Amino acid sequence: MLKKEIMEILSSSRRTGWVLEPEAKRLLSLAGMDTPRFIWTKKVDQGIRFAEEIGFPVVGKVVSPKVIHKSDQGGVEVGIGDGKKLNETFQRFSQVEGFAGMLIEEVLAGMELIVGAKIDYQFGPVILLGIGGIWTEIYRDVILRMAPLTERDTDAMIGCLKARPLLEGYRGASPVNLKELKRLLIAFSDLVMGIENLIESIDLNPVICSSERCAVADARIILRGQSNL
């Protein structure tokens, strides 16, 4: 059974038609997936204190129900190295239409993957795994499986990627924590199966995987009837 908080997040997002990123990450965390440490705030001083606590540099993102594609509108700032830069970024974001605060989160390092789901009206939930970040559309190295996923499915998906050698530690590089990647895929599949009647799609891009963890660095959840966004 899904946690009550997950359903409350989805219910409160109906007016927007999609889930704001801070709430999407809270939802994913409730579903058992790893996310960066973050704060969603409308007070720059609070954001600076948080960044000092977790350590600079940090990533900053605008939060607005009017901005779903943040990067396309200059709503993402990476490598914020001090409080002055964070304040400058906050002030710039505050001019964005519908400004609802700033998401400030820790910087993650590792291999960028994409994990996604789409509800096919003939086959039901379909799960995607592939190379993520800016390379998604260039390499088009993705694997699809129908949900629910089993551990055998996750093994097959990882094994079928052309980039599998990179995951396993190519030329002496540290391998990705495949156990954590599989755990994330199973938790994601379980979540999608539980909310398939409420969503159109979910994109986790990138999911950043290192030898220690696999964490969702960006998340977009589109609710049913909002596929034109």
Side-chain angles (χ1 to χ4, degrees), residues 3-229:
K3 294 180 179 179
K4 179 182 178 182
E5 295 95 326
I6 291 177
M7 301 308 295
E8 289 175 346
I9 292 171
L10 293 172
S11 178
S12 65
S13 302
R14 287 175 182 166
R15 181 183 302 178
T16 306
W18 55 284
V19 183
L20 294 175
E21 185 180 346
E23 288 291 83
K25 284 182 172 170
R26 186 164 73 91
L27 184 155
L28 295 170
S29 181
L30 288 166
M33 283 165 265
D34 191 5
T35 62
R37 290 173 292 173
F38 73 88
I39 189 173
W40 175 17
T41 181
K42 286 187 175 182
K43 298 180 179 179
V44 66
D45 291 344
Q46 185 180 34
I48 291 174
R49 285 197 300 271
F50 173 78
E52 289 173 342
E53 289 173 4
I54 67 171
F56 287 101
V58 295
V59 177
K61 301 178 184 179
V62 68
V63 180
S64 168
K66 301 291 186 180
V67 180
I68 188 169
H69 302 290
K70 297 182 293 295
S71 296
D72 294 345
Q73 299 190 38
V76 178
E77 187 73 40
V78 299
I80 299 173
D82 54 38
K84 179 181 178 181
K85 181 63 176 180
L86 195 152
N87 180 61
E88 292 173 354
T89 304
F90 186 95
Q91 300 307 322
R92 176 165 61 85
F93 286 171
S94 68
Q95 303 304 308
V96 173
E97 182 183 5
F99 178 71
M102 181 174 174
L103 173 67
I104 301 164
E105 64 184 22
E106 67 175 311
V107 174
L108 301 176
M111 185 170 180
E112 295 187 355
L113 301 175
I114 180 172
V115 175
K118 189 171 182 63
I119 309 303
D120 185 283
Y121 289 99
Q122 182 175 0
F123 299 106
V126 178
I127 307 295
L128 174 149
L129 170 68
I131 298 302
I134 63 174
W135 310 113
T136 301
E137 295 183 1
I138 296 175
Y139 290 114
R140 299 186 182 278
D141 184 9
V142 298
I143 301 297
L144 300 173
R145 286 290 187 278
M146 293 175 60
L149 297 181
T150 65
E151 188 166 348
R152 179 177 294 183
D153 291 322
T154 63
D155 287 334
M157 294 175 79
I158 293 169
C160 288
L161 287 174
K162 296 174 185 176
R164 178 178 54 83
L166 298 178
L167 298 175
E168 296 175 344
Y170 186 67
R171 291 194 172 183
S174 297
V176 161
N177 190 324
L178 295 181
K179 181 178 179 181
E180 283 300 300
L181 176 56
K182 294 173 187 177
R183 190 185 67 80
L184 183 144
L185 287 169
I186 293 293
F188 181 68
S189 171
D190 290 344
L191 171 66
V192 171
M193 291 298 295
I195 62 175
E196 63 174 299
N197 294 327
L198 302 175
I199 62 168
E200 290 278 358
S201 63
I202 304 179
D203 288 314
L204 313 181
N205 186 25
V207 172
I208 299 183
C209 291
S210 67
S211 59
E212 298 179 352
R213 63 191 292 203
C214 284
V216 180
D218 200 0
R220 183 180 304 151
I221 302 175
I222 307 297
L223 302 182
R224 177 158 288 194
Q226 303 296 327
S227 58
N228 60 325
L229 290 171

